[in-house]
Each structure stands twice: as structure tokens, then as C-alpha cells.
Short mmCIF file of all heavy atoms in Angstrom, two decimals:
data_model
loop_
_atom_site.label_atom_id
_atom_site.label_comp_id
_atom_site.label_asym_id
_atom_site.label_seq_id
_atom_site.Cartn_x
_atom_site.Cartn_y
_atom_site.Cartn_z
N ALA A 1 0.87 -1.21 -0.01
CA ALA A 1 -0.01 0.01 0.01
C ALA A 1 0.86 1.28 0.03
O ALA A 1 0.60 2.25 -0.73
CB ALA A 1 -0.93 0.02 1.23
N ARG A 2 1.91 1.23 0.79
CA ARG A 2 2.77 2.44 0.85
C ARG A 2 3.52 2.59 -0.47
O ARG A 2 3.70 3.68 -0.98
CB ARG A 2 3.86 2.25 1.96
CG ARG A 2 3.32 2.53 3.34
CD ARG A 2 4.43 2.69 4.32
NE ARG A 2 5.35 1.57 4.36
CZ ARG A 2 5.14 0.47 5.18
NH1 ARG A 2 4.03 0.43 5.98
NH2 ARG A 2 5.97 -0.55 5.15
N LYS A 3 3.96 1.48 -1.07
CA LYS A 3 4.72 1.53 -2.30
C LYS A 3 3.86 2.22 -3.41
O LYS A 3 4.49 3.02 -4.23
CB LYS A 3 5.08 0.14 -2.76
CG LYS A 3 5.76 0.02 -4.12
CD LYS A 3 6.08 -1.46 -4.42
CE LYS A 3 6.66 -1.61 -5.84
NZ LYS A 3 7.96 -1.00 -5.98
N TYR A 4 2.62 1.92 -3.47
CA TYR A 4 1.77 2.46 -4.60
C TYR A 4 0.91 3.62 -4.18
O TYR A 4 0.07 4.11 -4.93
CB TYR A 4 0.83 1.32 -5.15
CG TYR A 4 1.72 0.28 -5.86
CD1 TYR A 4 2.07 -0.91 -5.23
CD2 TYR A 4 2.14 0.51 -7.15
CE1 TYR A 4 2.82 -1.84 -5.88
CE2 TYR A 4 2.92 -0.49 -7.81
CZ TYR A 4 3.31 -1.64 -7.10
OH TYR A 4 4.06 -2.57 -7.77
N GLY A 5 1.03 4.08 -2.94
CA GLY A 5 0.31 5.20 -2.44
C GLY A 5 -1.22 5.02 -2.40
O GLY A 5 -2.00 5.90 -2.66
N VAL A 6 -1.60 3.79 -1.94
CA VAL A 6 -3.04 3.43 -1.77
C VAL A 6 -3.23 2.93 -0.35
O VAL A 6 -2.23 2.82 0.40
CB VAL A 6 -3.49 2.37 -2.80
CG1 VAL A 6 -3.36 2.88 -4.22
CG2 VAL A 6 -2.67 1.07 -2.57
N SER A 7 -4.45 2.74 0.03
CA SER A 7 -4.77 2.25 1.39
C SER A 7 -4.85 0.71 1.40
O SER A 7 -5.19 0.06 0.37
CB SER A 7 -6.06 2.86 1.89
OG SER A 7 -7.18 2.35 1.07
N VAL A 8 -4.64 0.10 2.57
CA VAL A 8 -4.73 -1.29 2.71
C VAL A 8 -6.22 -1.74 2.42
O VAL A 8 -6.44 -2.77 1.80
CB VAL A 8 -4.36 -1.78 4.13
CG1 VAL A 8 -4.68 -3.21 4.40
CG2 VAL A 8 -2.85 -1.50 4.36
N SER A 9 -7.21 -0.92 2.93
CA SER A 9 -8.61 -1.25 2.63
C SER A 9 -8.92 -1.33 1.17
O SER A 9 -9.71 -2.14 0.73
CB SER A 9 -9.49 -0.29 3.46
OG SER A 9 -9.30 1.05 2.90
N SER A 10 -8.28 -0.43 0.42
CA SER A 10 -8.48 -0.42 -1.04
C SER A 10 -7.89 -1.71 -1.62
O SER A 10 -8.60 -2.29 -2.53
CB SER A 10 -7.73 0.81 -1.64
OG SER A 10 -7.88 0.77 -3.04
N LEU A 11 -6.77 -2.17 -1.23
CA LEU A 11 -6.13 -3.38 -1.70
C LEU A 11 -7.09 -4.56 -1.44
O LEU A 11 -7.28 -5.48 -2.29
CB LEU A 11 -4.83 -3.62 -1.11
CG LEU A 11 -3.65 -2.70 -1.56
CD1 LEU A 11 -2.37 -3.07 -0.81
CD2 LEU A 11 -3.43 -2.79 -3.05
N THR A 12 -7.52 -4.68 -0.19
CA THR A 12 -8.38 -5.86 0.15
C THR A 12 -9.69 -5.85 -0.61
O THR A 12 -10.17 -6.88 -1.05
CB THR A 12 -8.68 -5.81 1.69
OG1 THR A 12 -9.24 -4.57 2.03
CG2 THR A 12 -7.37 -6.02 2.47
N LYS A 13 -10.27 -4.63 -0.88
CA LYS A 13 -11.49 -4.62 -1.59
C LYS A 13 -11.35 -4.90 -3.04
O LYS A 13 -12.14 -5.71 -3.63
CB LYS A 13 -12.06 -3.14 -1.49
CG LYS A 13 -13.45 -2.95 -2.15
CD LYS A 13 -13.94 -1.56 -1.92
CE LYS A 13 -15.32 -1.39 -2.61
NZ LYS A 13 -15.87 0.01 -2.41
N LEU A 14 -10.25 -4.48 -3.67
CA LEU A 14 -10.00 -4.77 -5.12
C LEU A 14 -9.76 -6.25 -5.36
O LEU A 14 -10.01 -6.74 -6.37
CB LEU A 14 -8.78 -3.96 -5.55
CG LEU A 14 -8.96 -2.45 -5.86
CD1 LEU A 14 -7.62 -1.80 -6.15
CD2 LEU A 14 -9.91 -2.35 -7.08
N ASN A 15 -9.15 -6.91 -4.35
CA ASN A 15 -8.77 -8.32 -4.56
C ASN A 15 -9.64 -9.31 -3.80
O ASN A 15 -9.34 -10.48 -3.78
CB ASN A 15 -7.31 -8.44 -4.11
CG ASN A 15 -6.38 -7.70 -5.00
OD1 ASN A 15 -6.04 -8.11 -6.09
ND2 ASN A 15 -6.01 -6.49 -4.54
N GLY A 16 -10.76 -8.80 -3.17
CA GLY A 16 -11.62 -9.78 -2.47
C GLY A 16 -10.97 -10.55 -1.35
O GLY A 16 -11.18 -11.75 -1.23
N MET A 17 -10.13 -9.86 -0.62
CA MET A 17 -9.35 -10.56 0.43
C MET A 17 -9.49 -9.73 1.76
O MET A 17 -10.06 -8.70 1.79
CB MET A 17 -7.85 -10.63 0.01
CG MET A 17 -7.25 -9.28 -0.27
SD MET A 17 -5.67 -9.35 -1.18
CE MET A 17 -4.69 -10.25 -0.08
N SER A 18 -8.97 -10.36 2.83
CA SER A 18 -9.01 -9.69 4.11
C SER A 18 -7.61 -9.37 4.50
O SER A 18 -6.64 -9.79 3.90
CB SER A 18 -9.66 -10.62 5.21
OG SER A 18 -8.79 -11.65 5.50
N THR A 19 -7.45 -8.54 5.58
CA THR A 19 -6.12 -8.18 6.05
C THR A 19 -5.34 -9.43 6.62
O THR A 19 -4.12 -9.28 6.77
CB THR A 19 -6.22 -7.08 7.15
OG1 THR A 19 -7.09 -7.65 8.18
CG2 THR A 19 -6.80 -5.86 6.61
N ARG A 20 -6.02 -10.47 6.82
CA ARG A 20 -5.35 -11.71 7.35
C ARG A 20 -5.01 -12.69 6.20
O ARG A 20 -4.45 -13.75 6.49
CB ARG A 20 -6.29 -12.39 8.38
CG ARG A 20 -6.55 -11.58 9.64
CD ARG A 20 -7.37 -12.33 10.64
NE ARG A 20 -7.58 -11.53 11.83
CZ ARG A 20 -8.34 -11.96 12.92
NH1 ARG A 20 -8.90 -13.13 12.84
NH2 ARG A 20 -8.50 -11.16 13.94
N SER A 21 -5.33 -12.35 5.03
CA SER A 21 -5.09 -13.27 3.87
C SER A 21 -3.61 -13.45 3.69
O SER A 21 -2.77 -12.56 3.94
CB SER A 21 -5.71 -12.71 2.59
OG SER A 21 -7.07 -12.56 2.69
N THR A 22 -3.24 -14.71 3.29
CA THR A 22 -1.86 -15.05 3.06
C THR A 22 -1.44 -14.56 1.69
O THR A 22 -2.12 -14.68 0.69
CB THR A 22 -1.65 -16.60 3.08
OG1 THR A 22 -2.04 -17.09 4.35
CG2 THR A 22 -0.18 -16.92 2.85
N LEU A 23 -0.25 -13.90 1.67
CA LEU A 23 0.28 -13.35 0.44
C LEU A 23 1.26 -14.40 -0.17
O LEU A 23 2.32 -14.62 0.30
CB LEU A 23 1.00 -11.99 0.63
CG LEU A 23 0.12 -10.84 1.19
CD1 LEU A 23 0.97 -9.63 1.34
CD2 LEU A 23 -1.03 -10.59 0.30
N ARG A 24 0.79 -15.07 -1.21
CA ARG A 24 1.62 -16.12 -1.83
C ARG A 24 2.57 -15.47 -2.84
O ARG A 24 2.21 -14.74 -3.71
CB ARG A 24 0.72 -17.15 -2.49
CG ARG A 24 -0.22 -17.94 -1.57
CD ARG A 24 -0.79 -19.13 -2.26
NE ARG A 24 -1.52 -18.72 -3.47
CZ ARG A 24 -2.79 -18.36 -3.52
NH1 ARG A 24 -3.46 -18.27 -2.40
NH2 ARG A 24 -3.29 -18.06 -4.67
N VAL A 25 3.81 -15.94 -2.71
CA VAL A 25 4.89 -15.39 -3.56
C VAL A 25 4.53 -15.78 -5.05
O VAL A 25 4.19 -16.96 -5.32
CB VAL A 25 6.30 -15.95 -3.21
CG1 VAL A 25 7.31 -15.50 -4.23
CG2 VAL A 25 6.63 -15.46 -1.84
N GLY A 26 4.64 -14.82 -5.94
CA GLY A 26 4.32 -15.07 -7.34
C GLY A 26 2.95 -14.64 -7.71
O GLY A 26 2.59 -14.44 -8.91
N ARG A 27 2.03 -14.50 -6.72
CA ARG A 27 0.65 -14.11 -7.04
C ARG A 27 0.58 -12.65 -7.46
O ARG A 27 1.27 -11.79 -6.90
CB ARG A 27 -0.29 -14.35 -5.85
CG ARG A 27 -1.70 -13.92 -6.04
CD ARG A 27 -2.50 -14.00 -4.81
NE ARG A 27 -3.82 -13.42 -4.96
CZ ARG A 27 -4.68 -13.16 -4.01
NH1 ARG A 27 -4.40 -13.52 -2.75
NH2 ARG A 27 -5.89 -12.60 -4.24
N ARG A 28 -0.30 -12.34 -8.40
CA ARG A 28 -0.44 -10.91 -8.82
C ARG A 28 -1.70 -10.33 -8.10
O ARG A 28 -2.79 -10.99 -8.11
CB ARG A 28 -0.66 -10.82 -10.30
CG ARG A 28 0.56 -11.18 -11.12
CD ARG A 28 0.30 -11.25 -12.63
NE ARG A 28 0.02 -9.98 -13.19
CZ ARG A 28 -1.08 -9.57 -13.85
NH1 ARG A 28 -2.05 -10.46 -13.94
NH2 ARG A 28 -1.20 -8.40 -14.36
N ILE A 29 -1.61 -9.22 -7.45
CA ILE A 29 -2.76 -8.60 -6.87
C ILE A 29 -2.92 -7.20 -7.50
O ILE A 29 -2.02 -6.57 -7.86
CB ILE A 29 -2.66 -8.47 -5.33
CG1 ILE A 29 -1.56 -7.50 -4.97
CG2 ILE A 29 -2.48 -9.85 -4.69
CD1 ILE A 29 -1.49 -7.19 -3.44
N ARG A 30 -4.17 -6.79 -7.61
CA ARG A 30 -4.43 -5.52 -8.26
C ARG A 30 -4.21 -4.42 -7.20
O ARG A 30 -4.65 -4.53 -6.05
CB ARG A 30 -5.91 -5.52 -8.70
CG ARG A 30 -6.28 -4.24 -9.48
CD ARG A 30 -7.70 -4.28 -9.96
NE ARG A 30 -8.15 -3.03 -10.50
CZ ARG A 30 -9.36 -2.76 -10.90
NH1 ARG A 30 -10.35 -3.74 -10.87
NH2 ARG A 30 -9.70 -1.60 -11.37
N VAL A 31 -3.59 -3.32 -7.65
CA VAL A 31 -3.28 -2.25 -6.74
C VAL A 31 -4.08 -1.01 -7.11
O VAL A 31 -4.33 -0.14 -6.28
CB VAL A 31 -1.78 -1.93 -6.67
CG1 VAL A 31 -1.04 -3.03 -6.01
CG2 VAL A 31 -1.26 -1.52 -8.01
N ARG A 32 -4.57 -0.90 -8.32
CA ARG A 32 -5.40 0.20 -8.76
C ARG A 32 -6.42 -0.29 -9.86
O ARG A 32 -6.05 -1.17 -10.62
CB ARG A 32 -4.58 1.37 -9.36
CG ARG A 32 -3.96 2.20 -8.30
CD ARG A 32 -3.27 3.36 -8.88
NE ARG A 32 -2.54 4.19 -7.99
CZ ARG A 32 -3.12 5.15 -7.22
NH1 ARG A 32 -4.44 5.48 -7.47
NH2 ARG A 32 -2.43 5.82 -6.34
#
């Protein structure tokens, strides 16, 4: 979120995930 200047809540909403979701290496997540 800091890297792209967005909020954590925005990231979770865009990707249908929660703040507790596991971030798997190699997975692509939408940031905008």
C-alpha cells in the first residue's frame, strides 16, 4: 500500500481478500 500510495482497505476490496489473507509469492494482486 505504501509503495503504490493506496490504502490497505483499497487493496483488500480490489482483490476480495481480508487483512489476514496469506500473500503467496508469485501471485499478482491488483493495486489500482
Side-chain angles (χ1 to χ4, degrees):
R2 284 195 302 272
K3 176 181 174 67
Y4 293 98
V6 298
S7 66
V8 172
S9 60
S10 175
L11 289 179
T12 56
K13 184 177 180 179
L14 282 172
N15 295 280
M17 55 196 300
S18 72
T19 55
R20 296 182 179 180
S21 298
T22 301
L23 299 181
R24 297 193 304 273
V25 174
R27 176 189 173 187
R28 295 172 70 239
I29 66 171
R30 185 178 171 186
V31 295
R32 283 185 183 274

